[in-house]
Amino acid sequence: MATVTRSRPHAPSRPTTPPDRRRKTIASARRRLGLLYASPMALLVVVLFVIPLVLMVWMSFNHWPLLGASAPNGVENYSALRDPLFLRAIGFTLKYTAVTTVVLGLVAFGLALLVQESRPGVGVYRTALFLPSVVGLASTSLLFYGLFNTEASPLNELVRFLGLGAVDWLGSTDNALASTVGMITWRFAGFYMLILMTGLQGIDPLLYEAARADGANRWQILWRVTLPLLRPTLALTMVLSLTGSLLAFDQFFILTGGRHETATVVISVYREAFLSQDLGRAAAVSVAILAVLIVVNGAQLRLLRRGR
């Protein structure tokens, strides 16, 4: 007997999207979503940074009094870079930057080595060392101004107790520099200690064990193992320290007011803008400072990438 087979009608095939096209569609959607999420911050950057930066560059090519109408004057404002007062401010700023970077870096690194290992009570020391960094720089400067200038301050009482005689902490360039570096070290050492401690804890302990097995002593381990592996972290702290020192303003403005040749380049900008009432010259000096910071930070970030 012959059997009759019924052929089922084939369902219409659905159009399929090629895998490559689907992946591109998903990637495009993710990019659009990422741009949507980033747009508020991008708008803030444009409003708070890009527009003021463009305005500052424009002001540097104009005679722009604090009160009154502006007028173009070409590159005349950049003659402020040859002003003897500004040149002395550059010299003092570089000196302060060099001293602060070395002293602060050594103190912070020493503290990081002391508190890197977990021991009973080490959390208390870490907290105590970090606490000064939560105090605002202006508040710290006012606090130390009282310590340096008040006869009955604990600092001066301690000096008299030790029989060292009266010390004019802010009465000369060298004294003001040393006093300010001490204050900055007290303020920021805990912050840099925390960064360096994080870098130290990221080093594999097996490397230290291997170095000890090879007969290396503590100094050899420090120079041959710790410092090379800590180079990216050290570069980061150097970027922060150099940038902060080159832009120093609050500490010297409050402690000395720029007297005794302790004016920094940012104090020079303040003087041009609000004492000389010439915003054009102040903008020209600011543009020059920004260019130097870009070069310095670019070199440091290159060093940071090289150490990875």
Side-chain angles (χ1 to χ4, degrees), residues 58-299:
W58 170 254
M59 290 172 63
S60 69
F61 294 104
N62 289 266
H63 172 64
W64 202 300
L66 186 62
L67 299 174
S70 62
N73 64 349
V75 296
E76 183 179 339
N77 290 327
Y78 287 88
S79 62
L81 302 178
R82 300 192 301 270
D83 189 283
L85 292 177
F86 179 69
L87 295 177
R88 285 200 293 270
I90 291 177
F92 178 76
T93 303
L94 293 176
K95 182 180 179 180
Y96 167 74
T97 300
V99 174
T100 302
T101 301
V102 173
V103 173
L104 182 57
L106 291 176
V107 172
F109 184 64
L111 294 176
L113 290 175
L114 289 175
V115 301
Q116 65 169 323
E117 297 181 2
S118 297
R119 296 187 298 269
V122 72
V124 177
Y125 293 107
R126 292 173 181 173
T127 303
L129 293 171
F130 179 74
L131 277 178
S133 63
V134 303
V135 183
L137 183 55
S139 301
T140 302
S141 301
L142 288 171
L143 172 64
F144 274 80
Y145 182 81
L147 291 176
F148 291 143
N149 285 284
T150 306
E151 286 296 324
S153 71
L155 182 61
N156 290 318
E157 289 290 341
L158 176 62
V159 169
R160 280 193 289 268
F161 176 77
L162 296 175
L164 299 178
V167 177
D168 192 359
W169 301 100
L170 304 173
S172 66
T173 303
D174 292 337
N175 286 357
L177 176 63
S179 301
T180 306
V181 170
M183 182 198 74
I184 292 298
T185 302
W186 178 86
R187 166 65 173 76
F188 288 101
F191 175 72
Y192 291 116
M193 174 205 73
L194 190 64
I195 297 175
L196 292 171
M197 185 185 68
T198 304
L200 288 171
Q201 292 177 343
I203 299 176
D204 191 348
L206 295 177
L207 296 174
Y208 292 123
E209 295 180 7
R212 293 189 191 97
D214 291 338
N217 57 34
R218 291 186 177 180
W219 286 107
Q220 289 173 333
I221 291 174
L222 177 65
W223 287 104
R224 302 293 180 85
V225 178
T226 303
L227 290 179
L229 294 176
L230 200 63
R231 187 167 62 175
T233 307
L234 290 172
L236 174 61
T237 57
M238 190 176 294
V239 168
L240 297 175
S241 179
L242 284 177
T243 303
S245 300
L246 291 173
L247 296 178
F249 175 76
D250 297 39
Q251 54 268 48
F252 289 105
F253 186 77
I254 294 174
L255 292 178
T256 66
R259 297 185 300 275
H260 310 300
E261 295 187 355
T262 59
T264 61
V265 291
V266 181
I267 289 180
S268 297
V269 174
Y270 167 81
R271 287 175 173 175
E272 291 287 356
F274 299 105
L275 299 184
S276 300
Q277 298 186 359
D278 193 337
L279 297 182
R281 286 170 66 90
V285 175
S286 299
V287 170
I289 295 173
L290 178 61
V292 172
L293 286 176
I294 290 174
V295 173
V296 171
N297 287 338

Side-chain angles (χ1 to χ4, degrees), residues 14-23 25:
R14 296 180 180 177
T16 58
T17 305
D20 291 342
R21 186 181 301 174
R22 186 183 303 130
R23 281 195 293 268
T25 303

